[in-house]
Amino acid sequence: MKFGIEFVPNEDLNKIVERVKLAEEVGFEYAWITDHYNNKNVYETLALIAKETETIKMGPGVTNPYVRSPAISASAIATIDELSDGRATFGIGPGDKATFDALGIPWEKPVSTIKAAIADINTLLAGEKTETGAALGGVKAVQEHLPIYMGAQGPKMLETAGEIADGVLINASNPKDYEAALPLIKKGIENAGKNVADFDVGAYTATSIGTDSEKAKAAAKIVVAFIAAGSPPMVIERHGLPEGINEKIGACLGKGDFGGAIGLIDDDLLHAFSVAGTPDEFIPKVEGLAEMGVTQYVAGSPIGKDVEESIKLLGEVIAS
Ligand SMILES: C[C@H](OP(=O)(O)OC[C@@H](O)[C@@H](O)[C@@H](O)Cn1c2nc(=O)[nH]c(=O)c-2cc2ccc(O)cc21)C(=O)N[C@@H](CCC(=O)N[C@@H](CCC(=O)O)C(=O)O)C(=O)O
């Protein structure tokens, strides 16, 4: 199992860089930086990480094909690849509707749009010209293929990821979600005549680890509330959760009643939408994900009550 870690660039970037350096030290192989227009810029954040680290790979986890043209994304990730001496990786997803509504960007045909974007980015990174004549020149074309991951959850997006990407990052923390996703991804891989063994299935989890199980679980509750509220009824049913619980939690969040939303998060919801607890509780859960075909465990927010302490504890899980 490979291990990755996610950071949201909405805090002091120097702190994020220090945390990535610590993650590199304890054995993490990937650092994924989220991309939302209202946070600090993903590529500036990655550039700082590239300059301050030696071995960890880094990339957007995940950008989208709407806020930047494929050529701008290709130039940005090629620059990170040059700065990091070949350690860049690139995560791209369809983005989310709320973002594009706020930006006044029409969110149309996400599957076709992402397919076209990844084709152009691969062309440009290989030092070739796109159909419209765009070509990188002032930034080194990447030596060998730069791995492209897709952020995906929907069935068509998962199959598309298998077909055109080198890996997938799925916002899910429970083996049941991977049991449902893997056949779709494998269908795409087989359609493209690729080898399943070459494909990286990333579990982009809501992680909260600590020496005190209850405190670790409590730290995960607000994140779980947002995930549960955004989950379609099919996912609620998949996890055997009470029908309509997503709406109930969403109603609390919508009113700003975060205490009420957190009060609705029980152990079943925590188990469905996060990996939370002590290192001893983590190991069987990571093994359970591996059994379902997950090949990269990504520790996503909140990581833990004390992030530095939690990164070190995850290092124990990596070493186990
Ligand atoms: C578009 C959507 O795909 P989805 O995979 O469910 O999208 C949900 C999320 O993956 C998407 O919002 C991501 O961008 C969210 N996301 C992030 N989104 C961000 O904006 N920033 C982030 O940093 C971020 C990180 C992230 C990490 C992991 C991850 O899994 C997702 C992440 C969907 O509805 N897909 C369906 C519909 C299919 C479809 O798109 N049909 C097209 C027709 C086909 C065509 O497009 O040609 C249509 O609607 O017109 C499906 O896959 O079956």
Side-chain angles (χ1 to χ4, degrees):
M1 177 74 85
K2 296 185 280 276
F3 283 81
I5 192 163
E6 172 223 45
F7 291 108
V8 179
N10 60 2
E11 57 182 323
D12 175 10
L13 294 187
N14 296 309
K15 195 194 286 185
I16 290 181
V17 171
E18 288 311 307
R19 287 173 172 172
V20 174
K21 285 164 73 175
L22 177 60
E24 179 179 65
E25 219 176 283
V26 303
F28 280 90
E29 292 180 65
Y30 292 83
W32 297 102
I33 303 301
T34 63
D35 182 15
H36 296 91
Y37 78 93
N38 51 320
N39 287 337
K40 295 177 174 78
N41 184 283
V42 59
Y43 290 109
E44 272 100 46
T45 307
L46 288 165
L48 290 173
I49 291 168
K51 288 309 285 169
E52 295 286 326
T53 55
E54 308 294 327
T55 58
I56 203 166
K57 299 180 184 74
M58 80 284 304
V62 295
T63 187
N64 66 75
Y66 296 91
V67 293
R68 296 179 193 87
S69 86
I72 303 299
S73 292
S75 162
I77 200 62
T79 305
I80 300 300
D81 199 55
E82 200 171 307
L83 279 172
S84 65
D85 199 15
R87 290 183 284 131
T89 185
F90 184 72
I92 183 168
D96 48 34
K97 194 165 175 343
T99 302
F100 301 122
D101 289 348
L103 296 178
I105 298 175
W107 193 44
E108 281 148 8
K109 302 195 85 46
V111 174
S112 322
T113 305
I114 213 162
K115 271 184 170 174
I118 289 178
D120 274 357
I121 290 166
N122 272 324
T123 300
L124 291 162
L125 290 178
E128 289 153 24
K129 227 179 236 182
T130 66
E131 275 170 26
T132 53
L136 298 185
V139 58
K140 264 194 315 200
V142 292
Q143 307 317 322
E144 47 206 69
H145 177 67
L146 190 146
I148 292 189
Y149 287 69
M150 270 178 64
Q153 266 129 305
K156 266 200 194 147
M157 210 53 83
L158 288 166
E159 186 180 333
T160 303
E163 210 174 299
I164 65 173
D166 302 289
V168 69
L169 297 168
I170 305 176
N171 246 337
S173 303
N174 187 287
K176 287 190 183 134
D177 301 305
Y178 294 91
E179 194 174 22
L182 262 291
L184 294 158
I185 297 168
K186 283 182 179 165
K187 186 162 172 261
I189 292 172
E190 278 143 23
N191 291 348
K194 298 191 302 184
N195 187 340
V196 176
D198 299 334
F199 193 85
D200 194 6
V201 178
Y204 216 84
T205 68
T207 284
S208 182
I209 190 169
T211 50
D212 178 316
S213 185
E214 287 319 304
K215 282 192 185 142
K217 287 173 181 169
K221 289 194 172 184
I222 187 62
V223 174
V224 167
F226 277 96
I227 296 171
S231 297
M234 171 192 76
V235 171
I236 298 297
E237 193 189 339
R238 177 190 296 162
H239 292 288
L241 297 167
E243 192 182 338
I245 187 66
N246 48 344
E247 277 127 36
K248 250 171 112 180
I249 296 166
C252 289
L253 293 173
K255 288 184 303 203
D257 176 11
F258 297 137
I262 288 171
L264 291 169
I265 307 302
D266 61 14
D267 276 354
D268 290 343
L269 278 151
L270 276 169
H271 183 59
F273 296 119
S274 73
V275 183
T278 63
D280 286 347
E281 288 172 300
F282 250 71
I283 293 167
K285 294 185 180 188
V286 174
E287 286 166 352
L289 289 167
E291 277 156 31
M292 284 301 152
V294 169
T295 50
Q296 179 178 157
Y297 179 93
V298 180
S301 313
I303 301 179
K305 205 164 161 40
D306 174 333
V307 174
E308 282 71 15
E309 182 54 36
S310 298
I311 292 173
K312 289 176 193 158
L313 291 175
L314 285 165
E316 288 176 24
V317 174
I318 295 172
S320 68

